[in-house]
DNA sequence: ATGAAAGCGCTAACAG
DNA sequence: CTGTTAGCGCTTTCAT
């Protein structure tokens, strides 16, 4: 493995000159640059990442901190991760996937942050009140959130615009003529834990429905097909004449569809279904394909990384706060309601 | 940020002593060890990862090289990734997610390998003839594959035992009384590109069916719901009296189910469906839930990382070659066939 | 059982 | 525009 010294010797220049043609941190004449480049090619030289990191105090490694529990990642989160990895790679950074225990080891996080392995960090699955954020801030690590805390003062983040997403979804259903719309959220425990998407969409749903003069009926659901089934049963118990379901639960929505079929109700003729923050791939798995508010996918991860890198390379003090909308994509699961009363259903 | 010097000074010992209590590479008396530990705690000392990496020539970073194309990762691959990340973290390594262009930039790979950023590398989505493998080997990077090449001589890998998986799936269907079983594989292009899982399951299917004295009918399908629909149509054109589908395509299988429903055929009463190498989460999305050959999930990634680390820490020359079975999990999509002829169907 | 010191390979002042 | 040199913070001989 050739070192910078070898290159310098072969090119008959000093090591610093070699370093400077590499970093471009000061002007080099065409002639010397050419000599150096030739020598590099000759020796098949690659700079040593660790040495560079130590000397420059920049590892060019970014951390992607994500809680990895039993369930693994959904399609939406996976898209964030792959988007981030691709973006990091594109700007010459490496991306370390760092599984951090959901709530537990803040100490581990602090330790991580102090090792100076990461130039900066993207934190996923942020809670409304998230100790990890303050821990990271105190450690002085440049930070961008995917999602956001309750108080975003001084923080950089990218998140989904849940308010607008819910508003559009409700508008779509109301526009079709639906009046009895039930909102199926994540579980009660998830809500209690302060999970932002669940709480923000809940509030947005109340606002949207009230704005249309309709009653906001909401049902929690476990993140499973069975949870979706149970939630739909509960929904019918509460609102027997419901004609539309708005699901904020990518997994439960399949149980909802199954239960609907089991009850002899057709989608979308008897009941319309909109799945929020859902990837097209998942939407296509259902029959009929789901009308969704499509999640921003890899763009989310990409934007987070780009903001972080801008923060690292740039002057420094700008904050990046951005909400991304989910786009309404109408597929086969929504239609105008038909009154089941007249059919005797 | 405290350095090792600070700790040494506070503990009134030399830097090397501090280093040795950290690495445990030579015996230290209880007394000095205690002094050092106290000083470390006092200063909240964390070793600098880059400095350590440079001096020891071990970065404690592993690379996970995976092609990231448009579609992103499926549930099965995502499980590999999360399993690998968790395992690496558990043994004190970091895991860098490195998107490498499917076939393209071998040079980029070589460059990566020469930067000495990775102590070792796990390569995913290996093709039967994969230039990346030889490139990495030439670069002298310790390597473990997830999947395997055609010639596995001298290579370490973890892969799915496709032969046994197919054998069991076919045995399950035949045991239920099925005789007309159609195998839906990946697309013809994927097969042509030398994608191991597709090729190995194809061969295994022929062997298994022939062994039962049955004719192996095989249909390719694009990786999409639409692809599954088209494949099923083709299957019925070729084998009108088919009673079971064996799907090696996690995405297409949902299109198969949709098309079956569209044709008025019930699952599993009219047609049984087995989905191969599929995660339970995905299986539960279907109605009825799919009988699957369940993919090893995170175990795959974990085993690959553990083998790699053993190779790095240990003496060195052992090769790790392991095939993991997929377990038959019977859910609602398989049952004994009923003759549709008698129903006029 | 401990210390001193020579690097690891590079960056970035400082000096022309 | 180029060279010299002092570190970056740690590991690891070589001494004792």
């Amino acid at each position: 493995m050739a070192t910078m010294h070898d290159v310098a010797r072969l090119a008959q220049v000093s090591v610093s000159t070699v370093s400077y043609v590499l970093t471009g941190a000061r002007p080099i004449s065409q002639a010397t640059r050419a000599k150096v480049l030739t020598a590099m090619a000759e020796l098949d030289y690659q700079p040593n990442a660790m040495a560079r990191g130590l000397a420059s105090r920049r590892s060019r490694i970014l951390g992607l901190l994500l809680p990895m529990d039993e369930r693994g990642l959904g399609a939406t989160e996976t898209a964030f991760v792959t988007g981030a990895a691709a973006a990091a790679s594109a700007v010459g950074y490496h991306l370390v996937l760092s599984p951090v225990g959901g709530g537990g080891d803040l100490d581990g996080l602090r330790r991580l942050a102090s090792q100076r392995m990461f130039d900066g960090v993207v934190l996923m699955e942020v809670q409304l009140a998230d100790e990890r954020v303050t821990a990271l801030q105190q450690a002085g690590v440049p930070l961008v959130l995917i999602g956001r805390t309750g108080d975003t003062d001084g923080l950089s983040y990218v998140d989904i615009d849940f308010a607008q997403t819910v508003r559009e979804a409700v508008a779509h259903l109301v526009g079709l003529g639906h009046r009895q719309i039930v909102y199926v959220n994540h579980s009660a425990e998830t809500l209690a834990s302060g999970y932002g998407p669940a709480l923000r969409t809940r509030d947005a749903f109340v606002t949207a429905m009230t704005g249309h003069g309709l009653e906001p009926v909401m049902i929690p659901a476990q993140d499973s097909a069975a949870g979706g089934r149970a939630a739909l049963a509960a929904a019918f118990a509460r609102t027997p004449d419901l004609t539309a379901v708005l699901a904020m639960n990518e997994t439960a929505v399949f149980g909802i569809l199954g239960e609907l079929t089991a009850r002899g109700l057709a989608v979308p003729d008897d009941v319309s279904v909109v799945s929020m923050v859902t990837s097209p791939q998942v939407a296509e798995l259902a029959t009929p394909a789901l009308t969704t508010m499509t999640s921003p996918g890899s763009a989310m991860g990409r934007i987070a990384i780009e903001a972080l890198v801008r923060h690292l390379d740039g002057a420094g003090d700008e904050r990046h706060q951005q909400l991304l909308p989910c786009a309404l994509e109408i597929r086969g699961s929504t239609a105008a309601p038909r009154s089941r009363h007249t059919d005797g259903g």
Side-chain angles (χ1 to χ4, degrees), chain A residues 126-130 133-134 137 143-160 196 200 317-323:
Chain A
V126 181
Q127 308 282 29
L128 281 185
D130 203 314
V133 172
T134 43
Q137 282 188 124
L143 179 63
V144 172
L145 311 181
I146 291 185
R148 66 202 134 118
T149 49
D151 175 16
T152 58
D153 218 48
L155 288 169
S156 287
Y157 65 80
V158 204
D159 199 0
I160 290 167
R200 291 187 225 272
D317 265 2
E318 338 76 55
R319 221 137 289 88
H320 185 97
Q321 304 195 332
Q322 181 175 9
L323 294 182

Side-chain angles (χ1 to χ4, degrees), chain A residues 166-178 181 212 272-274 291-293 328-331 333-335:
Chain A
V166 170
R167 199 181 315 126
E168 274 191 41
V170 169
H172 170 58
L173 289 172
V174 169
L176 286 171
H178 293 275
I181 303 171
H212 287 285
S272 284
V273 175
V274 174
T291 292
T292 61
M293 302 304 299
L328 171 65
E329 290 186 355
I330 300 175
R331 296 194 182 81
S333 69
T334 51

Side-chain angles (χ1 to χ4, degrees), chain A residues 68-136:
Chain A
M68 287 210 244
D69 43 17
E70 58 308 336
R71 189 180 313 291
L73 301 175
T76 298
E77 290 80 23
T78 301
F80 295 170
V81 174
T82 57
S89 171
V91 293
Y93 278 80
H94 292 282
L95 214 232
V96 167
L97 219 60
S98 223
V100 296
D105 66 336
L106 279 184
D107 277 349
L109 230 194
R110 269 189 261 270
R111 213 170 309 136
L112 235 197
S114 305
Q115 288 179 168
R116 316 260 88 185
M117 159 89 49
F118 301 144
D119 289 348
V121 149
V122 172
L123 186 60
M124 279 180 63
E125 301 283 303
V126 181
Q127 308 282 29
L128 281 185
D130 203 314
E131 300 175 283
R132 299 173 302 163
V133 172
T134 43
L136 254 9

Side-chain angles (χ1 to χ4, degrees), chain A residues 167 170 174 204-216:
Chain A
R167 199 181 315 126
V170 169
V174 169
F205 183 69
V206 172
T207 305
M209 289 296 278
T210 309
H212 287 285
L214 301 173
E215 188 202 356

